[in-house]
């Protein structure tokens, strides 16, 4: 039954064990499997997709309108080196499997591809279609990350009105989540206008009971105001945000922001007036950030022990590596923000230097 052949191929292309396909293909003495297809899948599923694109160009059109066609279109698009051809393959996959996980994947990957290329004219229609149809997908979080990156990197093409228009297609809770992601990225990047817009949008979508979301909106809008004149008010606002309403990474970001703000309003030392050695200052910042990370690690460990006094059931290297990656990400976020504050101080120093000359 040829349906079994299609089922075996679809199973392998949908994330199933590729060894199952190998076993069936090896036992196929009647020639039911197309050796070209199984050869391409073996290489693609083993991580050698770059070596399959020439053969896929022959196979994909031939199998169009068949059961396995949309899956081959997806693989062909992923392996294709030419952006225009890849987008055509994604479009064919969507046309052949409307409303399916195939269309969802093709739409999301089309958005990712055009966003990376900075082709906002094509990316925005993909974003609107995805927001309207697939926000219930388990992969919708990837869409949110791609869309936020698009808004950050291409402000001219995605003004606040356009961002609001796209997200208006999304249900309220998801809208708020994406606005908060956007506010966080914008705050770390030092984009005051975008951070304030996204934070205010998240507040508008929150009720009084959404204390965690409101705390995040206050945090991100407060962080981006640090290089402004009202830094004392910002410090007061940051101090008023309850730590228990923030995730560990956002508590770290808050603490890092407070450190920068305190440095800005702190008394001027003689060294700073004589343009202190930057290496020394950088080391001081790194030391303070490192101590902050250690404190965060101890707090997390204490919390885990309180929840599970007997200790974790599995203390594998993988878990340790995951925790280390999380801490590294926190350091990166903090140092990005420290770099922003430091650049503002450098600008002030430069102006003072000109005036003294």
């Amino acid at each position: 039954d040829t349906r079994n052949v299609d089922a075996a191929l679809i199973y392998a292309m949908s994330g199933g064990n590729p060894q199952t396909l190998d076993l069936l293909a090896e036992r196929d003495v009647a020639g039911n499997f197309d050796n070209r297809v199984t050869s391409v899948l073996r290489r693609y599923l083993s991580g050698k997709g770059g070596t399959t694109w020439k053969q896929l160009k022959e196979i994909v059109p031939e199998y169009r309108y068949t059961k396995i066609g949309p899956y081959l279109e997806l693989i062909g698009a992923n392996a294709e080196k030419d952006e225009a051809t890849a987008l055509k393959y994604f479009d064919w996959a969507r046309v052949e499997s409307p409303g399916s996980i195939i269309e969802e994947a093709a739409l999301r990957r089309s958005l990712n591809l055009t966003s990376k290329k900075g082709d906002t004219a094509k990316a925005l229609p993909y974003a609107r279609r995805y927001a309207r149809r697939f926000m219930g997908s388990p992969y919708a979080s990837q869409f949110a990350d791609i869309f936020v990156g698009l808004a950050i990197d291409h402000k001219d093409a995605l003004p606040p009105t356009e961002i609001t228009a796209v997200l208006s297609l999304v249900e309220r809770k998801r809208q708020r989540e994406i606005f908060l992601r956007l506010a966080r990225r914008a705050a770390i990047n030092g984009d005051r206008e975008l951070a304030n817009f996204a934070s205010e949008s998240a507040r508008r979508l929150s009720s009084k009971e959404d204390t965690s979301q409101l705390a995040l909106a206050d945090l991100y809008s407060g962080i981006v105001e640090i290089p402004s004149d009202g830094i004392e008010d910002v410090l007061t606002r940051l101090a008023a945000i309850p730590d228990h309403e923030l995730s560990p990474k956002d508590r770290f970001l808050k603490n890092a922001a407070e450190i920068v703000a305190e440095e800005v309003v702190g008394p001027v030392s003689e060294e700073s007036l004589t343009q202190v050695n930057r290496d020394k200052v950088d080391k001081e910042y790194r030391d303070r950030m490192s101590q902050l990370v250690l404190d965060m690690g101890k707090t997390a460990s204490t919390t885990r022990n309180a929840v599970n006094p007997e200790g974790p059931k599995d203390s594998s290297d993988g878990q340790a590596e995951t925790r280390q990656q999380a801490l590294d990400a926190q350091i990166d976020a903090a140092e990005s923000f420290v770099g922003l504050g430091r650049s503002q101080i450098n600008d002030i120093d430069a102006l003072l230097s000109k005036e003294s000359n």
Side-chain angles (χ1 to χ4, degrees):
D1 192 330
T2 56
R3 292 177 298 177
N4 289 327
V5 175
D6 290 341
L9 293 170
I10 291 172
Y11 167 77
M13 289 186 284
S14 299
N17 188 348
Q19 294 181 357
T20 303
L21 176 61
D22 290 341
L23 178 64
L24 293 172
E26 288 171 1
R27 294 182 177 181
D28 175 31
V29 295
N32 292 310
F33 283 93
D34 186 333
N35 288 333
R36 297 173 303 163
V37 175
T38 54
S39 174
V40 164
L41 291 185
R42 283 193 186 98
R43 282 180 284 161
Y44 180 81
L45 296 174
S46 64
K48 301 177 181 177
T51 65
T52 64
W53 67 278
K54 288 184 178 180
Q55 196 168 8
L56 278 166
K57 282 189 174 181
E58 301 174 1
I59 297 173
V60 168
E62 183 179 335
Y63 277 90
R64 193 163 286 158
Y65 306 116
T66 67
K67 293 290 185 183
I68 67 171
Y71 297 87
L72 287 175
E73 300 278 6
L74 273 184
I75 291 177
N78 290 335
E80 180 57 55
K81 298 179 179 180
D82 178 66
E83 177 190 349
T85 303
L87 289 175
K88 287 181 181 178
Y89 284 168
F90 281 137
D91 287 344
W92 271 108
R94 293 192 297 115
V95 168
E96 291 184 60
S97 295
S100 69
I101 193 67
I102 293 294
E103 184 187 8
E104 185 277 338
L107 201 52
R108 176 165 38 85
R109 294 174 188 177
S110 295
L111 173 61
N112 188 44
L113 181 60
T114 51
S115 296
K116 286 182 176 178
K117 294 291 184 181
D119 191 348
T120 54
K122 291 181 179 177
L124 278 175
Y126 289 132
R128 294 189 193 100
R129 291 189 185 101
Y130 194 100
R132 185 172 61 250
R133 303 187 59 199
F134 289 109
M135 289 308 293
S137 165
Y139 303 103
S141 181
Q142 294 183 18
F143 159 80
D145 288 336
I146 297 169
F147 183 75
V148 167
L150 187 66
I152 291 287
D153 296 334
H154 303 283
K155 288 181 59 179
D156 293 339
L158 262 80
T161 53
E162 185 64 44
I163 295 172
T164 302
V166 173
L167 295 185
S168 67
L169 303 170
V170 181
E171 60 98 9
R172 188 183 186 92
K173 185 177 179 181
R174 277 299 180 92
Q175 278 191 64
R176 184 180 61 198
E177 175 191 332
I178 297 174
F179 273 124
L180 285 174
R181 290 192 190 194
L182 179 59
R184 189 177 199 278
R185 283 281 304 276
I188 291 174
N189 285 4
D191 191 328
R192 183 177 179 181
E193 180 181 355
L194 188 55
N196 284 330
F197 155 72
S199 297
E200 185 56 39
S201 298
R203 286 194 193 96
R204 177 173 45 82
L205 294 166
S206 302
S207 63
K208 293 181 179 179
E209 291 74 25
D210 299 321
T211 54
S212 294
Q213 288 72 26
L214 290 171
L216 289 175
D218 288 341
L219 172 64
Y220 303 145
S221 61
I223 285 174
V224 81
E225 295 293 339
I226 285 179
S228 68
D229 294 335
I231 193 166
E232 291 84 358
D233 293 336
V234 174
L235 274 169
T236 303
R237 286 171 54 191
L238 291 176
I241 299 173
D243 283 347
H244 68 271
E245 296 288 0
L246 304 175
S247 67
K249 67 177 183 180
D250 284 316
R251 285 201 301 272
F252 184 91
L253 189 58
K254 174 191 170 185
N255 292 339
E258 288 174 331
I259 289 174
V260 175
E262 288 166 0
E263 289 291 328
V264 173
V265 299
V268 180
S269 66
E270 293 183 2
E271 287 182 325
S272 67
L273 295 176
T274 57
Q275 298 300 302
V276 66
N277 185 304
R278 293 297 342 158
D279 292 337
K280 180 180 178 181
V281 176
D282 288 343
K283 183 178 185 304
E284 291 175 357
Y285 272 107
R286 286 197 301 271
D287 290 344
R288 293 186 70 177
M289 291 300 144
S290 297
Q291 185 59 48
L292 192 55
V293 171
L294 290 175
D295 292 342
M296 290 290 292
K298 290 176 182 177
T299 301
S301 177
T302 302
T303 303
R304 285 193 299 272
N305 291 336
V307 174
N308 185 11
E310 297 179 358
K313 295 180 180 180
D314 180 11
S315 57
S316 63
D317 292 339
Q319 289 180 329
E321 182 179 353
T322 300
R323 288 194 295 272
Q324 184 59 50
Q325 289 173 349
L327 290 177
D328 290 344
Q330 293 167 3
I331 293 174
D332 291 342
E335 289 186 344
S336 295
F337 185 80
V338 170
L340 166 67
R342 190 178 299 138
S343 67
Q344 299 288 333
I345 296 172
N346 286 342
D347 290 341
I348 295 171
D349 287 342
L351 287 173
L352 292 174
S353 177
K354 288 181 180 179
E355 290 180 0
S356 63
N357 292 335

